Amino acid sequence: MTDANSESESDTPLRGHECIQSYLKTLDSSPGVYRMLDEQSRVLYVGKARNLKARVSNYARPSGHSRRIARMISDTASMMFLTTRTETEALLLEQNLIKQLKPKLNVLLRDDKSFPNILVTGDHSYPQIKKHRGAKREKGSYYGPFASAGAVNRTLNQLQKVFLLRNCSDSVFETRTRPCLLHQIKRCSAPCVGRISEAEYAETVRDAERFLSGRDTKIQETLAAQMAEASEAMEFERAAALRDRIRALTQVQSVQGINPRGVSEADIIALHMEHGQACVQVFFIRANQNWGNRDFYPRVGEDVDAAEVLEAFIGQFYDTKEPPRQLILSHGIENPDLMCELLSEKLGRKVEILVPQRGEKAELVEGAARNARESLARKMSETATQTKLLRGLAEAFGLDTPPERVEVYDNSHIQGTNAVGGMIVAGPEGFLKSQYRKFNIKGEDLVPGDDFGMMKEVLTRRFKRLQKEDPDREKGMWPDLLLIDGGAGQVSAVHEIMAEYGVEDIPMVGVAKGIDRDAGKEEFHRIGQRPFALRHNDPVLYFVQRMRDEAHRFAIGTHRAKRAKSMGKNPLDEISGVGASRKRALLAHFGSAKAVSRANLADLKAVEGVSEALAERIYGFFHEKG
């Protein structure tokens, strides 16, 4: 790729059509990506072009543009260009730049979470079935994506009833001496204690994988035949177990709702737009089964058409996700052939994009579009309520304008141990959970339970990062209001921290329980003002309570997770050469890690599987630490 950035050499800075016109003499007909920037060099828009000169010529025309494009042209003070070898490269680069720069006039997908899968592990003689999210580094077969953790959990729950596969970890599996509760309630075949042979277990694993792949539709028939045989042989307990497995398999299929016969692997993507807002509904169809649906609310402009919105959504959505063989859309997109080429290269096999007009596929799209329409209606209703509450918040706390981003902070610890800070974010669209942040309190000089010190560390780290990542406050990362759990002392401490970083223009409010510490009697504290309270039935008070409770819930949840992790730690795990089997041998011999730490060298050498060198390493590990 080459950079073809150029600047106007005129003494008077050019803007609008004249500015854009000035670049035409240096451009050729190469494909590439262009950026339009305002007077502060902020990116207004990122676009791609098959022919850069032709595309820029269109913007140089003084009329014939939509209102959004006309506004973009008038605000343009400079442009940047990157030429590419192919138009497909330009499309890929455009989507990457949009996600990175977040230009205010581009369609932007704001929710970019990963989706969970089901993993059947492949590194054990008795494979485990479990939920998996993230990079696919573990050996085994992956099935997904599923729309949510709930969709995976429901499917796993039913699959355990049908196929009786284990879900315990390898370490638990190796240490079992008798069947667990899951075997008692007919959810596991108890391979850990030999209740099923390796060959029989492998067959059930193959059945589960065939079902998840949609390759075997005769599993129910096979189970029914086995049930009949068991019944004839008067093995009524086995027949009843097989009957329960058939019922569970039927329930898996009924819970999924839509199970299209003619669509084996596709994403159904439907768009609904209304009043400058958009909802995209995605149904995940895999192995002729519906593995859940999810709605997305991309940021769109006033006069963006459906083709542009869907193309931007698809490009950004599949940037970090594997596309299926088919995308079945509610609307056509601007460059379907180009998008197919890009996604096919990513997947390593052909990807089709369809806009069906009739038949089963059209019915699937119609159902997704109905969901999108209903979801957007609910979202707009919630947003209207939220906007009203933010307006009331501004009036109650004397803000100039309703806040777009409210950050709420809370700490959680037990006598200073496993201390964490939590930050939640609320705005016009409600709680923005993708923006939540947790802070592990690291200050070694903090007195246990020093809430002021903890809050100081959290906010210092937060604003240090903000000043580094968004010094000009252009990316929407800076808060318009801080809510602190505490009274005058906490607010004063926070004010000092903010002043230290030169950030004194962000209003902050301390939320303290009243004298009886009852909800509804909260007092609000601001720097230089007397504490005040809101009416007990004021909707704004309930809104503040909800935000404070959400911050408290998030901080406590983070603290509990950290505490559970620290409680589960074993010092033996930190010693090089002590794996699972040697760890079990040491614990069996001495009874506990604490007893291992007190053992002398001769006793350590006496443990089966522990060499002289390893015994010295274990002894040195504990005694060098004092």
Side-chain angles (χ1 to χ4, degrees):
M1 294 185 182
T2 60
D3 190 344
N5 182 24
S6 61
E7 296 286 344
S8 171
E9 297 178 358
S10 169
D11 292 333
T12 304
L14 299 175
R15 283 187 60 181
H17 304 288
E18 292 179 347
C19 170
I20 296 169
Q21 183 78 36
S22 68
Y23 288 94
L24 289 175
K25 58 188 176 186
T26 61
L27 290 175
D28 57 23
S29 57
S30 301
V33 173
Y34 58 92
R35 280 176 270 182
M36 306 177 92
L37 294 83
D38 65 11
E39 288 180 318
Q40 282 78 45
S41 296
R42 294 174 297 199
V43 180
L44 296 167
Y45 184 79
V46 173
K48 68 176 181 312
R50 179 180 297 145
N51 181 325
L52 279 171
K53 187 162 189 172
R55 177 59 58 87
V56 174
S57 296
N58 287 336
Y59 289 128
R61 288 188 288 108
S63 60
H65 303 291
S66 69
R67 187 167 53 185
R68 178 175 67 102
I69 298 299
R71 187 173 70 248
M72 178 178 73
I73 291 170
S74 68
D75 290 344
T76 298
S78 64
M79 295 185 72
M80 294 180 68
F81 304 93
L82 283 165
T83 58
T84 59
R85 290 172 297 177
T86 65
E87 194 180 358
T88 306
E89 275 187 13
L91 176 60
L92 180 61
L93 179 59
E94 177 199 36
Q95 299 305 330
N96 288 338
L97 286 174
I98 290 171
K99 292 184 76 171
Q100 177 187 336
L101 300 172
K102 298 177 173 56
K104 68 178 184 179
L105 295 177
N106 280 96
V107 174
L108 181 65
L109 175 60
R110 290 175 286 195
D111 187 340
D112 194 27
K113 294 179 181 175
S114 62
F115 293 93
N117 291 264
I118 286 177
L119 168 62
V120 180
T121 59
D123 55 356
H124 199 282
S125 53
Y126 291 96
Q128 172 193 10
I129 187 168
K130 62 180 181 179
K131 178 173 66 179
H132 176 87
R133 192 191 288 270
K136 297 178 180 178
R137 297 192 183 96
E138 198 169 343
K139 189 177 179 182
S141 301
Y142 293 85
Y143 301 93
F146 286 79
S148 65
V152 171
N153 291 338
R154 283 192 298 272
T155 303
L156 280 174
N157 186 39
Q158 297 303 325
L159 287 177
Q160 279 182 273
K161 293 179 183 178
V162 178
F163 300 106
L164 309 182
L165 301 183
R166 72 177 180 97
N167 68 352
C168 58
S169 66
D170 291 350
S171 59
V172 170
F173 179 88
E174 300 295 341
T175 54
R176 292 298 305 182
T177 56
R178 58 183 180 178
C180 67
L181 178 63
L182 286 175
H183 176 71
Q184 306 298 328
I185 62 174
K186 298 181 176 62
R187 298 283 182 90
C188 180
S189 52
C192 54
V193 291
R195 295 294 176 91
I196 184 172
S197 70
E198 188 174 332
E200 288 176 305
Y201 190 85
E203 183 59 35
T204 61
V205 170
R206 281 194 291 274
D207 284 343
E209 291 189 315
R210 282 196 290 266
F211 176 77
L212 287 168
S213 302
R215 292 198 304 267
D216 194 340
T217 57
K218 297 182 180 178
I219 294 172
Q220 279 167 295
E221 293 176 19
T222 304
L223 291 174
Q226 290 174 358
M227 182 178 70
E229 289 174 11
S231 183
E232 286 177 13
M234 296 194 178
E235 296 175 2
F236 299 118
E237 189 174 342
R238 180 167 173 263
L242 288 164
R243 178 203 61 202
D244 292 342
R245 291 172 68 184
I246 292 169
R247 286 179 178 172
L249 191 58
T250 304
Q251 191 173 351
V252 171
Q253 295 165 336
S254 63
V255 165
Q256 289 169 342
I258 304 168
N259 292 293
R261 294 180 180 180
V263 181
S264 61
E265 180 184 323
D267 284 348
I268 315 297
I269 305 176
L271 167 69
H272 182 74
M273 298 175 67
E274 193 174 332
H275 302 303
Q277 297 189 52
C279 176
V280 178
Q281 188 81 206
V282 183
F283 278 80
F284 301 99
I285 307 295
R286 300 293 185 274
N288 295 93
Q289 303 165 41
N290 172 25
W291 283 354
N293 62 296
R294 181 92 170 266
D295 46 11
F296 300 87
Y297 301 91
R299 186 192 70 194
V300 298
E302 298 172 6
D303 51 7
V304 183
D305 61 23
E308 183 180 349
V309 173
L310 265 188
E311 180 167 300
F313 175 85
I314 291 168
Q316 293 171 48
F317 185 70
Y318 293 109
D319 179 49
T320 55
K321 299 174 184 68
E322 187 177 284
R325 292 177 182 270
Q326 286 188 335
L327 304 184
I328 302 176
L329 311 183
S330 60
H331 300 77
I333 61 175
E334 294 176 338
N335 301 281
D337 295 339
L338 200 60
M339 188 62 74
C340 283
E341 185 181 341
L342 176 64
L343 296 179
S344 298
E345 284 182 13
K346 182 179 179 66
L347 188 61
R349 64 188 186 206
K350 187 178 179 183
V351 174
E352 286 185 294
I353 292 180
L354 308 174
V355 185
Q357 302 301 315
R358 61 184 68 85
E360 184 184 37
K361 293 183 177 70
E363 290 174 8
L364 290 172
V365 168
E366 186 180 340
R370 183 175 61 254
N371 274 270
R373 184 170 60 252
E374 292 169 357
S375 295
L376 185 60
R378 286 193 297 272
K379 184 79 171 176
M380 289 169 69
S381 174
E382 291 167 6
T383 301
T385 303
Q386 191 77 1
T387 301
K388 187 176 179 181
L389 288 171
L390 290 170
R391 202 179 303 126
L393 200 65
E395 291 173 7
F397 296 151
L399 309 181
D400 295 333
T401 57
E404 291 286 319
R405 181 184 177 98
V406 181
E407 293 185 357
V408 191
Y409 293 85
D410 195 11
N411 298 324
S412 184
H413 58 89
I414 293 180
Q415 295 180 339
T417 62
N418 299 309
V420 295
M423 177 193 89
I424 67 112
V425 181
E429 296 178 352
F431 292 119
L432 307 177
K433 296 196 175 182
S434 64
Q435 302 288 311
Y436 286 16
R437 295 292 179 267
K438 61 183 179 182
F439 301 85
N440 288 314
I441 306 296
K442 302 173 182 176
E444 296 179 0
D445 56 343
L446 286 177
V447 177
D450 179 6
D451 284 330
F452 285 3
M454 291 179 192
M455 187 61 70
K456 180 174 182 179
E457 179 178 331
V458 167
L459 287 165
T460 297
R461 284 162 58 188
R462 170 66 180 151
F463 283 95
K464 241 179 159 178
R465 185 163 188 167
L466 276 178
Q467 289 184 330
K468 181 181 178 182
E469 294 182 353
D470 188 15
D472 299 321
R473 306 193 191 185
E474 297 172 353
K475 299 178 182 178
M477 298 166 67
W478 286 75
D480 301 309
L481 174 66
L482 296 183
L483 288 183
I484 310 297
D485 186 32
Q490 289 279 32
V491 171
S492 179
V494 171
H495 179 70
E496 288 177 15
I497 298 164
M498 306 284 277
E500 187 178 328
Y501 283 92
V503 183
E504 299 183 71
D505 58 332
I506 298 177
M508 70 193 77
V509 177
V511 184
K513 294 282 181 69
I515 53 173
D516 298 324
R517 301 192 64 77
D518 290 335
K521 296 184 178 180
E522 285 83 356
E523 288 185 342
F524 299 98
H525 298 261
R526 293 195 63 181
I527 289 294
Q529 298 183 17
R530 290 170 61 88
F532 66 97
L534 296 172
R535 297 189 325 273
H536 74 280
N537 60 349
D538 192 328
V540 173
L541 176 60
Y542 298 142
F543 181 40
V544 173
Q545 289 171 349
R546 207 163 75 241
M547 288 191 287
R548 182 200 58 202
D549 292 346
E550 174 69 358
H552 194 52
R553 179 202 65 78
F554 181 65
I556 286 178
T558 305
H559 164 72
R560 284 175 178 164
K562 184 179 181 182
R563 190 178 67 197
K565 188 175 180 182
S566 68
M567 288 172 69
K569 277 186 176 179
N570 191 311
L572 296 176
D573 295 329
E574 300 177 35
I575 305 173
S576 174
V578 178
S581 59
R582 289 194 179 102
K583 178 181 169 184
R584 280 196 299 275
L586 287 163
L587 293 174
H589 187 92
F590 292 104
S592 68
K594 193 168 187 179
V596 175
S597 72
R598 293 171 176 169
N600 61 40
L601 199 54
D603 289 338
L604 289 169
K605 291 176 183 177
V607 178
E608 185 180 351
V610 176
S611 66
E612 185 174 342
L614 182 56
E616 289 175 356
R617 193 181 307 143
I618 296 169
Y619 184 84
F621 175 83
F622 288 111
H623 291 79
E624 284 171 13
K625 285 192 166 189

